[in-house]
Amino acid sequence: MTARRREDPLRRAVRLLDVPWRRVAGAVTLGALALGCAVGLAAVAAWLIARASQQPPVLVLSVAAVTVRAFGVGRGTLRYAERLVSHDVALRGVVSLRTTLYARLAAGRSEAVAALREGDLLARTGADADAVGDVVVRAFVPAGVAAAVSLLAVAIVGVLLPEAGAALLVLLLVVGVGAPWLADRAARETERRSVRARADMTAATLDVLGDAGPLAVSGALDARLDDLRRADRELVAATDVGARTSATSEAIQTAATGVAVVAALLLGVPAVASGRLSPEDLAVVVLTPLAAFEGVGALPAAAVQLRRSRAAAARIMALLDDAAPDPSAPAPVAVTPSDDGTALAAHDLACGWPSRPAPAVAGLDVTVPAGGSLAVVGPSGAGKTTLLLTLAGLLAPVGGRLERHAEASWTAEDAHLFDTTVLENLRVARGGVTEDEARDALAAVGLGPWAASLPDGLDTVVGPGGDAVSGGERRRLLVARALVSRAPVLVIDEPAEHLDPEGADAVVRMVLGLTAHGRTVVMATHHRGALDAADAVLSLDDAHAPAA
C-alpha cells in the first residue's frame, strides 16, 4: 500500500485506462502528418510565390501548385483522422477507468465512499475520470506531434541554410521547454486552489438543483446559494492566480516566432547575396518557421492538462487506496440466519469512523424484529447516520457485537435522483425491475396517482434535466427505489428532511408503514410528530454521543 501511494498517481491511473499504445502511436503519426502538411504547405507556397514572381513558364510551377493543393487537403483529412483515433482511445480508456473504479469501490471498504460528500464522489468518478482520459488527447499526442514536426521543420530549414536551422532549433527548444514550464507553474497553483473549489461547487449545485423547493421552505436556500457563490469566487480567484504566468507563456511563443523570422532574414539575406541561397529558398527559410511553431504552441496547454490530469489522478487513486481492503481491519459482519425472527441485533455496539479516535455511538443494545420498525432520533451530530451505516453493513463496528440476519438496503439523505426516466431511476436498485413492479412500489410509497399523471408515464424523465418533482415526491421516489431492491431490511436516513411539518409527518408515516409490505424498517429522523407509527424509538442522547 505504501509503495503504491508513493508512485506517481498519474502513472497508476493511466495504467487503469488500459491504453493501446499502438493506437496512440498511430494518432501521433496522423497528427504529425497533418501538421507536417501545414509545414510543407508553408514551405512550398513560399517557394511558389517567390518563383512565380519571376514569371517562369507555367509548367515550371505546375508541380508546386499541385503539391500545395495536396498539402491543403491532406492537412484537414489527416487532422480529422487523428482526432477520430485519439478520441476513440481516450473515450475507451475512460470507460475502462470508470469500470475499474466502480468495481474496486463496490468490492472495497464501503466507509471510504460513505465518508465522501455526494458532490465530491461525483467529481472523482465524473470530471476527474474525464481529466485522466484527456491526458492522452491533450497531452501525450500533442507532445509527440510537436517533437516530430519540430524536427521536420528544422530539417527543411537546415538543409537550405544550416545556421538558420540551428537558430530555429534553439528557438523551438525555448518555446517547447520554457513556455510549458511556465504554464505548468501557473497550473500548479491554480489546480491546488481550484480542486477543492470545484468539489464545493459541485456539492452546492447538487443541493440547490436537487432540493430547491424544500430548501426554500426551510429557509436554507439562501445559505446554499451563498455557498455556491463563495465556491465560484474561489474558483475564479484560483484561475486569476495563474493568469499572469500563463500570459507570459503565450508571449514567449509569439516573441519566439517573430525572432525566428527576423533571424532567418538576417542569416538568409547575406546568404542570397553570396550565392549560397537562392531567392526562392530564402522565402522558404523565412516562412517555414511560422508553421513550425504551431506544433510547440500546443505544449503549454499540454503541460496544463498534464498538471490537471495528475491532480485528478491523485484524487482518484487516493479514493481507491482508501477503499482497498485492509487485512488488519475486522471482518465485515456476515448475514446469518435467525431462529427467533430477528432482523438485526446489537449488543454493547460502538459505531464510528476509522479516522476518528472516539466512536460516535457507544454502549448500544437494540434488537429489531423481522417485519418491525425502528425510528432513530436525536440531535444533529448524535451519530444517527453513523449508526444506520453500521446497521446497513456499510461501516464496520468499532466495538461490541452486531448480528445481521437479513440483507439491508441503504438510502442516504442526499441520495441522487438521476437525469433519466422514473423507471430507470428505480432500476438503479435492481436492473430487472418490471413496469408492474415499479407501479406497485410507487403505489406503496403514495406515488401511484402522481405516476399515473405523468405525461409519459414511467418513461417520463425526471431529475435535473427533466420534469420537476417536489421535495416530497423526490424523497418518496427514493424510498420506492429502496423498496424494489428486494432487501428484507430498509435502512433510510432522514427521509423527511427539509419538508414542512405536515409533509414530513406524512413521509415518516409512509416509511414506517412499509412494514405492511413485509419489510423491516430502520429510519433516522429529526421529526418526532409521527413516531407513534414506529414499533420502537431509539433516542440518541448525550449518553450515546461522544464527549465534546
Side-chain angles (χ1 to χ4, degrees), residues 130-211:
D130 290 337
V132 172
D134 285 344
V135 76
V136 176
V137 177
R138 299 182 180 180
F140 295 164
V141 172
V145 170
V149 173
S150 295
L151 292 175
L152 173 64
V154 170
I156 292 174
V157 175
V159 167
L160 297 175
L161 190 62
E163 53 268 39
L168 178 60
L169 176 61
V170 170
L171 291 168
L172 286 172
L173 286 174
V174 169
V175 176
V177 176
W181 179 75
L182 287 173
D184 180 70
R185 279 190 60 189
R188 183 189 312 154
E189 182 63 20
T190 299
E191 287 301 310
R192 185 185 68 80
R193 297 184 54 175
S194 64
V195 163
R196 177 53 54 187
R198 280 199 296 267
D200 290 342
M201 179 177 289
T202 301
T205 302
L206 287 172
D207 285 345
V208 171
L209 293 179
D211 288 321

Side-chain angles (χ1 to χ4, degrees), residues 109-410:
R109 296 167 55 246
S110 53
E111 54 262 36
V113 177
L116 292 176
R117 295 177 304 170
E118 180 188 9
D120 196 9
L121 181 60
L122 288 176
R124 297 194 196 206
T125 58
D128 286 347
D130 290 337
V132 172
D134 285 344
V135 76
V136 176
V137 177
R138 299 182 180 180
F140 295 164
V141 172
V145 170
V149 173
S150 295
L151 292 175
L152 173 64
V154 170
I156 292 174
V157 175
V159 167
L160 297 175
L161 190 62
E163 53 268 39
L168 178 60
L169 176 61
V170 170
L171 291 168
L172 286 172
L173 286 174
V174 169
V175 176
V177 176
W181 179 75
L182 287 173
D184 180 70
R185 279 190 60 189
R188 183 189 312 154
E189 182 63 20
T190 299
E191 287 301 310
R192 185 185 68 80
R193 297 184 54 175
S194 64
V195 163
R196 177 53 54 187
R198 280 199 296 267
D200 290 342
M201 179 177 289
T202 301
T205 302
L206 287 172
D207 285 345
V208 171
L209 293 179
D211 288 321
L215 288 172
V217 171
S218 65
L221 182 59
D222 289 341
R224 292 292 194 279
L225 289 173
D226 287 341
D227 292 341
L228 183 59
R229 295 187 188 99
R230 182 167 51 253
D232 181 63
R233 287 194 298 269
E234 291 174 358
L235 190 59
V236 170
T239 303
D240 289 344
V241 167
R244 182 174 300 176
T245 309
S246 297
T248 303
S249 172
E250 295 291 335
I252 287 177
Q253 178 190 346
T254 304
T257 304
V259 170
V261 172
V262 172
L265 282 171
L266 294 176
L267 296 171
V269 170
V272 172
S274 64
R276 293 175 52 214
L277 192 69
S278 67
E280 310 91 272
D281 291 342
L282 175 62
V284 175
V285 169
V286 171
L287 295 181
T288 298
L290 294 176
F293 282 92
E294 184 178 345
V296 293
L299 292 182
V304 172
Q305 182 61 54
L306 196 63
R307 172 65 59 179
R308 183 173 294 125
S309 297
R310 179 168 281 109
R315 287 162 49 81
I316 290 175
M317 300 316 299
L319 175 59
L320 290 181
D321 289 339
D322 290 341
D326 185 358
S328 63
V333 179
V335 176
T336 59
S338 172
D339 297 329
D340 59 358
T342 299
L344 296 169
H347 308 283
D348 195 26
L349 182 67
C351 309
W353 296 89
S355 59
R356 299 175 186 173
V361 178
L364 185 65
D365 293 293
V366 63
T367 300
V368 184
S373 61
L374 173 68
V376 181
V377 297
S380 296
K384 298 188 300 296
T385 299
T386 305
L387 172 60
L388 263 61
L389 286 168
T390 304
L391 296 179
L394 298 178
L395 273 180
V398 297
R401 184 161 55 94
L402 174 64
E403 299 172 4
R404 295 178 59 236
H405 303 300
E407 293 287 351
S409 74
W410 163 255

Side-chain angles (χ1 to χ4, degrees), residues 19-34:
V19 175
W21 293 107
R22 287 187 178 181
R23 301 205 70 187
V24 175
V28 171
T29 300
L30 289 170
L33 289 175

